[in-house]
Amino acid sequence: MPETHSGDQVEIVVFGSLQLSRHRKGLPARVLLPIPESGAAAHSLLEPMGISPDEVEAVFRNGRVVNIYDPVFPGDRVAFFPYGTPGPYRVFLGMARENIRRAEKEQPAPEKGSRP
């Protein structure tokens, strides 16, 4: 029977090397974290898990790929995947698309008066 959780939490699962790293530290791969009703960016859930955003290639929210900067809300199920997913799956699942969006958000804005 699946574990149920209260309305102010998000369920987080990590896979691949992220899961192995947590296992080596004696930590579970699946956790419930409290989250504000207004939501939070997916990447903000990584710090309490002891995971750097640089280790994460893909974020799934309720079974769909989302950007690491997209919001998650209480009751959502979130999965973090490390780098290393084979190419065709990265495109098919939308991981490649979200990594392009992520790179755009992480680029510093050009300074005023500077030339491209």
Side-chain angles (χ1 to χ4, degrees), residues 28-73:
R30 182 179 308 266
V31 298
L32 298 174
L33 286 179
I35 187 170
E37 181 137 343
S38 60
H43 72 85
S44 69
L45 304 175
L46 293 168
E47 185 178 346
M49 300 274 300
I51 298 171
S52 167
D54 295 337
E55 298 176 81
V56 175
E57 179 176 24
V59 179
F60 285 73
R61 180 185 62 211
N62 301 324
R64 298 197 140 180
V65 173
V66 297
N67 194 277
I68 197 166
Y69 295 104
D70 285 352
V72 296
F73 298 95

Side-chain angles (χ1 to χ4, degrees), residues 78-98:
V78 178
F80 292 108
F81 284 78
Y83 287 91
T85 302
Y89 296 104
R90 293 176 72 249
V91 173
F92 177 71
L93 295 172
M95 293 165 64
R97 175 194 69 235
E98 291 306 327

